[in-house]
Amino acid sequence: MFHNSIAPDIRNMSFEMDAEIYRQSSDCNGVIVAHGNQTGGYTIFIKNNQLYFDYNVSGQKHYIIKGGKPLPTGNLTIGFHMVKQDDGYGIGKLFVN
């Protein structure tokens, strides 16, 4: 069950998420934002100096986007933008600065 009082309902629509972070070193890993549980949700995180977006659909399938370059250090603006295409489909892109 989805509770839109906790987080916006982003299912089947275009959306953007942006976060300003400070990355002290290239060893800094972790979750930037997450919502959901094993039955569905999303997360943006840093692992092994790479940025990821993981979208879990009903606990059945994960759509994962990995950034193309190692992340820089310092002040960063991290973003994920989803543009809805057909019903249930879209194109997602990760952004840094």
Side-chain angles (χ1 to χ4, degrees):
M1 174 184 246
F2 184 81
H3 297 283
N4 63 358
S5 63
I6 298 171
D9 185 356
I10 62 171
R11 297 175 291 182
N12 203 28
M13 64 176 55
S14 297
F15 64 91
E16 296 181 7
M17 286 188 254
D18 298 301
E20 293 181 8
I21 65 169
Y22 177 75
R23 193 156 183 255
Q24 187 171 356
S25 77
S26 61
D27 295 328
C28 293
N29 294 300
V31 173
I32 297 168
V33 63
H35 180 256
N37 60 24
Q38 69 273 12
T39 64
Y42 59 85
T43 183
I44 299 174
F45 62 95
I46 299 169
K47 180 179 177 183
N48 298 327
N49 206 30
Q50 295 287 328
L51 183 64
Y52 289 84
F53 177 83
D54 182 347
Y55 185 61
N56 175 2
V57 180
S58 302
Q60 302 293 318
K61 183 166 177 100
H62 285 259
Y63 293 93
I64 299 172
I65 298 172
K66 178 182 175 185
K69 298 179 182 178
L71 282 177
T73 56
N75 291 314
L76 304 174
T77 300
I78 303 293
F80 179 77
H81 300 176
M82 173 65 78
V83 178
K84 182 183 182 298
Q85 302 296 303
D86 295 327
D87 192 38
Y89 295 93
I91 297 173
K93 294 183 181 180
L94 286 168
F95 295 92
V96 179
N97 286 353

mmCIF file of all heavy atoms in Angstrom, residues 21-49:
data_model
loop_
_atom_site.group_PDB
_atom_site.id
_atom_site.type_symbol
_atom_site.label_atom_id
_atom_site.label_comp_id
_atom_site.label_asym_id
_atom_site.label_seq_id
_atom_site.Cartn_x
_atom_site.Cartn_y
_atom_site.Cartn_z
ATOM 1 N N ILE A 21 24.877 17.812 -1.920
ATOM 2 C CA ILE A 21 25.667 17.047 -0.961
ATOM 3 C C ILE A 21 27.092 17.580 -0.942
ATOM 4 O O ILE A 21 27.525 18.274 -1.865
ATOM 5 C CB ILE A 21 25.693 15.538 -1.293
ATOM 6 C CG1 ILE A 21 26.411 15.260 -2.618
ATOM 7 C CG2 ILE A 21 24.277 14.959 -1.311
ATOM 8 C CD1 ILE A 21 26.691 13.790 -2.875
ATOM 9 N N TYR A 22 27.813 17.255 0.124
ATOM 10 C CA TYR A 22 29.247 17.512 0.200
ATOM 11 C C TYR A 22 29.937 16.165 0.305
ATOM 12 O O TYR A 22 29.649 15.387 1.212
ATOM 13 C CB TYR A 22 29.615 18.385 1.402
ATOM 14 C CG TYR A 22 31.107 18.567 1.507
ATOM 15 C CD1 TYR A 22 31.777 19.416 0.636
ATOM 16 C CD2 TYR A 22 31.840 17.861 2.448
ATOM 17 C CE1 TYR A 22 33.150 19.568 0.702
ATOM 18 C CE2 TYR A 22 33.212 17.998 2.525
ATOM 19 C CZ TYR A 22 33.866 18.859 1.652
ATOM 20 O OH TYR A 22 35.227 18.996 1.712
ATOM 21 N N ARG A 23 30.799 15.888 -0.616
ATOM 22 C CA ARG A 23 31.509 14.612 -0.650
ATOM 23 C C ARG A 23 32.959 14.875 -0.287
ATOM 24 O O ARG A 23 33.720 15.443 -1.067
ATOM 25 C CB ARG A 23 31.381 14.001 -2.038
ATOM 26 C CG ARG A 23 31.802 12.577 -2.092
ATOM 27 C CD ARG A 23 31.131 11.886 -3.277
ATOM 28 N NE ARG A 23 31.506 10.494 -3.251
ATOM 29 C CZ ARG A 23 32.388 9.944 -4.081
ATOM 30 N NH1 ARG A 23 32.938 10.665 -5.021
ATOM 31 N NH2 ARG A 23 32.688 8.680 -3.964
ATOM 32 N N GLN A 24 33.347 14.428 0.899
ATOM 33 C CA GLN A 24 34.670 14.742 1.440
ATOM 34 C C GLN A 24 35.791 14.011 0.706
ATOM 35 O O GLN A 24 36.855 14.577 0.490
ATOM 36 C CB GLN A 24 34.716 14.396 2.923
ATOM 37 C CG GLN A 24 35.968 14.837 3.612
ATOM 38 C CD GLN A 24 35.870 14.663 5.112
ATOM 39 O OE1 GLN A 24 34.846 14.273 5.644
ATOM 40 N NE2 GLN A 24 36.942 14.954 5.802
ATOM 41 N N SER A 25 35.551 12.750 0.325
ATOM 42 C CA SER A 25 36.586 11.981 -0.369
ATOM 43 C C SER A 25 35.937 10.989 -1.327
ATOM 44 O O SER A 25 34.734 10.733 -1.261
ATOM 45 C CB SER A 25 37.468 11.231 0.629
ATOM 46 O OG SER A 25 36.802 10.087 1.117
ATOM 47 N N SER A 26 36.735 10.387 -2.187
ATOM 48 C CA SER A 26 36.207 9.409 -3.140
ATOM 49 C C SER A 26 35.825 8.100 -2.453
ATOM 50 O O SER A 26 35.219 7.232 -3.077
ATOM 51 C CB SER A 26 37.211 9.143 -4.258
ATOM 52 O OG SER A 26 38.414 8.625 -3.723
ATOM 53 N N ASP A 27 36.149 7.962 -1.176
ATOM 54 C CA ASP A 27 35.755 6.775 -0.404
ATOM 55 C C ASP A 27 34.371 6.909 0.215
ATOM 56 O O ASP A 27 33.874 5.957 0.819
ATOM 57 C CB ASP A 27 36.767 6.499 0.709
ATOM 58 C CG ASP A 27 38.136 6.139 0.175
ATOM 59 O OD1 ASP A 27 38.200 5.534 -0.911
ATOM 60 O OD2 ASP A 27 39.142 6.467 0.837
ATOM 61 N N CYS A 28 33.754 8.085 0.101
ATOM 62 C CA CYS A 28 32.427 8.305 0.692
ATOM 63 C C CYS A 28 31.363 7.582 -0.135
ATOM 64 O O CYS A 28 31.187 7.873 -1.320
ATOM 65 C CB CYS A 28 32.106 9.793 0.756
ATOM 66 S SG CYS A 28 33.129 10.715 1.890
ATOM 67 N N ASN A 29 30.670 6.635 0.485
ATOM 68 C CA ASN A 29 29.589 5.866 -0.123
ATOM 69 C C ASN A 29 28.338 6.016 0.727
ATOM 70 O O ASN A 29 28.423 6.346 1.901
ATOM 71 C CB ASN A 29 29.949 4.377 -0.200
ATOM 72 C CG ASN A 29 31.101 4.104 -1.122
ATOM 73 O OD1 ASN A 29 31.040 4.403 -2.292
ATOM 74 N ND2 ASN A 29 32.163 3.534 -0.581
ATOM 75 N N GLY A 30 27.174 5.724 0.161
ATOM 76 C CA GLY A 30 25.958 5.701 0.960
ATOM 77 C C GLY A 30 24.737 6.160 0.200
ATOM 78 O O GLY A 30 24.799 6.542 -0.973
ATOM 79 N N VAL A 31 23.619 6.111 0.900
ATOM 80 C CA VAL A 31 22.313 6.460 0.335
ATOM 81 C C VAL A 31 22.108 7.963 0.430
ATOM 82 O O VAL A 31 22.311 8.564 1.480
ATOM 83 C CB VAL A 31 21.194 5.701 1.076
ATOM 84 C CG1 VAL A 31 19.828 6.167 0.622
ATOM 85 C CG2 VAL A 31 21.359 4.205 0.889
ATOM 86 N N ILE A 32 21.669 8.556 -0.671
ATOM 87 C CA ILE A 32 21.337 9.980 -0.692
ATOM 88 C C ILE A 32 19.852 10.166 -0.407
ATOM 89 O O ILE A 32 19.465 11.016 0.384
ATOM 90 C CB ILE A 32 21.728 10.602 -2.046
ATOM 91 C CG1 ILE A 32 23.249 10.497 -2.211
ATOM 92 C CG2 ILE A 32 21.264 12.042 -2.142
ATOM 93 C CD1 ILE A 32 23.738 10.805 -3.592
ATOM 94 N N VAL A 33 19.008 9.365 -1.049
ATOM 95 C CA VAL A 33 17.564 9.386 -0.794
ATOM 96 C C VAL A 33 17.014 7.994 -1.073
ATOM 97 O O VAL A 33 17.507 7.293 -1.950
ATOM 98 C CB VAL A 33 16.836 10.457 -1.658
ATOM 99 C CG1 VAL A 33 16.963 10.150 -3.126
ATOM 100 C CG2 VAL A 33 15.381 10.601 -1.262
ATOM 101 N N ALA A 34 16.017 7.597 -0.295
ATOM 102 C CA ALA A 34 15.363 6.302 -0.512
ATOM 103 C C ALA A 34 13.934 6.377 -0.009
ATOM 104 O O ALA A 34 13.639 7.082 0.953
ATOM 105 C CB ALA A 34 16.108 5.189 0.217
ATOM 106 N N HIS A 35 13.061 5.622 -0.683
ATOM 107 C CA HIS A 35 11.680 5.503 -0.237
ATOM 108 C C HIS A 35 11.150 4.149 -0.677
ATOM 109 O O HIS A 35 11.338 3.755 -1.825
ATOM 110 C CB HIS A 35 10.817 6.615 -0.839
ATOM 111 C CG HIS A 35 9.396 6.512 -0.397
ATOM 112 N ND1 HIS A 35 8.413 6.033 -1.227
ATOM 113 C CD2 HIS A 35 8.791 6.769 0.781
ATOM 114 C CE1 HIS A 35 7.260 6.025 -0.567
ATOM 115 N NE2 HIS A 35 7.466 6.459 0.647
ATOM 116 N N GLY A 36 10.521 3.443 0.213
ATOM 117 C CA GLY A 36 9.927 2.159 -0.121
ATOM 118 C C GLY A 36 10.452 1.034 0.753
ATOM 119 O O GLY A 36 11.039 1.263 1.802
ATOM 120 N N ASN A 37 10.225 -0.185 0.276
ATOM 121 C CA ASN A 37 10.682 -1.385 0.980
ATOM 122 C C ASN A 37 10.899 -2.486 -0.050
ATOM 123 O O ASN A 37 11.019 -2.206 -1.239
ATOM 124 C CB ASN A 37 9.682 -1.788 2.067
ATOM 125 C CG ASN A 37 8.295 -2.084 1.508
ATOM 126 O OD1 ASN A 37 8.133 -2.414 0.337
ATOM 127 N ND2 ASN A 37 7.279 -1.954 2.354
ATOM 128 N N GLN A 38 10.920 -3.729 0.385
ATOM 129 C CA GLN A 38 11.197 -4.832 -0.538
ATOM 130 C C GLN A 38 10.116 -5.008 -1.603
ATOM 131 O O GLN A 38 10.346 -5.648 -2.629
ATOM 132 C CB GLN A 38 11.424 -6.147 0.224
ATOM 133 C CG GLN A 38 10.200 -6.710 0.891
ATOM 134 C CD GLN A 38 9.964 -6.155 2.288
ATOM 135 O OE1 GLN A 38 10.581 -5.185 2.709
ATOM 136 N NE2 GLN A 38 9.063 -6.779 3.016
ATOM 137 N N THR A 39 8.942 -4.429 -1.423
ATOM 138 C CA THR A 39 7.870 -4.589 -2.401
ATOM 139 C C THR A 39 7.799 -3.450 -3.419
ATOM 140 O O THR A 39 6.943 -3.468 -4.296
ATOM 141 C CB THR A 39 6.502 -4.703 -1.697
ATOM 142 O OG1 THR A 39 6.238 -3.473 -1.016
ATOM 143 C CG2 THR A 39 6.474 -5.858 -0.732
ATOM 144 N N GLY A 40 8.684 -2.474 -3.320
ATOM 145 C CA GLY A 40 8.703 -1.381 -4.290
ATOM 146 C C GLY A 40 9.302 -0.121 -3.713
ATOM 147 O O GLY A 40 9.263 0.095 -2.508
ATOM 148 N N GLY A 41 9.877 0.691 -4.589
ATOM 149 C CA GLY A 41 10.439 1.958 -4.156
ATOM 150 C C GLY A 41 11.629 2.359 -5.011
ATOM 151 O O GLY A 41 11.873 1.800 -6.070
ATOM 152 N N TYR A 42 12.371 3.342 -4.519
ATOM 153 C CA TYR A 42 13.521 3.846 -5.264
ATOM 154 C C TYR A 42 14.605 4.283 -4.289
ATOM 155 O O TYR A 42 14.349 4.531 -3.106
ATOM 156 C CB TYR A 42 13.127 5.031 -6.147
ATOM 157 C CG TYR A 42 12.541 6.184 -5.373
ATOM 158 C CD1 TYR A 42 13.355 7.141 -4.783
ATOM 159 C CD2 TYR A 42 11.173 6.311 -5.215
ATOM 160 C CE1 TYR A 42 12.821 8.190 -4.058
ATOM 161 C CE2 TYR A 42 10.620 7.353 -4.500
ATOM 162 C CZ TYR A 42 11.457 8.291 -3.925
ATOM 163 O OH TYR A 42 10.919 9.308 -3.204
ATOM 164 N N THR A 43 15.825 4.368 -4.806
ATOM 165 C CA THR A 43 16.932 4.910 -4.044
ATOM 166 C C THR A 43 17.960 5.514 -4.988
ATOM 167 O O THR A 43 18.139 5.039 -6.111
ATOM 168 C CB THR A 43 17.593 3.849 -3.126
ATOM 169 O OG1 THR A 43 18.621 4.452 -2.352
ATOM 170 C CG2 THR A 43 18.171 2.705 -3.921
ATOM 171 N N ILE A 44 18.585 6.584 -4.547
ATOM 172 C CA ILE A 44 19.759 7.155 -5.202
ATOM 173 C C ILE A 44 20.896 6.982 -4.213
ATOM 174 O O ILE A 44 20.771 7.370 -3.046
ATOM 175 C CB ILE A 44 19.561 8.639 -5.554
ATOM 176 C CG1 ILE A 44 18.395 8.817 -6.532
ATOM 177 C CG2 ILE A 44 20.851 9.220 -6.131
ATOM 178 C CD1 ILE A 44 18.056 10.266 -6.820
ATOM 179 N N PHE A 45 21.991 6.390 -4.673
ATOM 180 C CA PHE A 45 23.089 6.115 -3.752
ATOM 181 C C PHE A 45 24.429 6.165 -4.473
ATOM 182 O O PHE A 45 24.507 6.118 -5.703
ATOM 183 C CB PHE A 45 22.894 4.762 -3.068
ATOM 184 C CG PHE A 45 22.887 3.579 -3.995
ATOM 185 C CD1 PHE A 45 24.035 2.835 -4.232
ATOM 186 C CD2 PHE A 45 21.712 3.188 -4.634
ATOM 187 C CE1 PHE A 45 24.018 1.747 -5.085
ATOM 188 C CE2 PHE A 45 21.681 2.092 -5.485
ATOM 189 C CZ PHE A 45 22.840 1.372 -5.709
ATOM 190 N N ILE A 46 25.497 6.237 -3.665
ATOM 191 C CA ILE A 46 26.866 6.211 -4.153
ATOM 192 C C ILE A 46 27.501 4.912 -3.675
ATOM 193 O O ILE A 46 27.416 4.572 -2.496
ATOM 194 C CB ILE A 46 27.684 7.407 -3.630
ATOM 195 C CG1 ILE A 46 27.065 8.721 -4.097
ATOM 196 C CG2 ILE A 46 29.148 7.299 -4.085
ATOM 197 C CD1 ILE A 46 27.636 9.950 -3.413
ATOM 198 N N LYS A 47 28.121 4.194 -4.614
ATOM 199 C CA LYS A 47 28.817 2.955 -4.292
ATOM 200 C C LYS A 47 30.057 2.861 -5.177
ATOM 201 O O LYS A 47 29.950 3.013 -6.405
ATOM 202 C CB LYS A 47 27.904 1.749 -4.526
ATOM 203 C CG LYS A 47 28.534 0.408 -4.225
ATOM 204 C CD LYS A 47 27.543 -0.708 -4.475
ATOM 205 C CE LYS A 47 28.187 -2.062 -4.245
ATOM 206 N NZ LYS A 47 27.250 -3.143 -4.543
ATOM 207 N N ASN A 48 31.197 2.607 -4.550
ATOM 208 C CA ASN A 48 32.458 2.477 -5.290
ATOM 209 C C ASN A 48 32.714 3.653 -6.225
ATOM 210 O O ASN A 48 33.080 3.478 -7.388
ATOM 211 C CB ASN A 48 32.503 1.156 -6.065
ATOM 212 C CG ASN A 48 32.436 -0.043 -5.151
ATOM 213 O OD1 ASN A 48 32.943 -0.016 -4.031
ATOM 214 N ND2 ASN A 48 31.788 -1.097 -5.600
ATOM 215 N N ASN A 49 32.473 4.859 -5.719
ATOM 216 C CA ASN A 49 32.745 6.108 -6.435
ATOM 217 C C ASN A 49 31.845 6.302 -7.670
ATOM 218 O O ASN A 49 32.185 7.047 -8.576
ATOM 219 C CB ASN A 49 34.226 6.186 -6.836
ATOM 220 C CG ASN A 49 34.707 7.613 -6.979
ATOM 221 O OD1 ASN A 49 34.218 8.523 -6.321
ATOM 222 N ND2 ASN A 49 35.666 7.826 -7.847
#
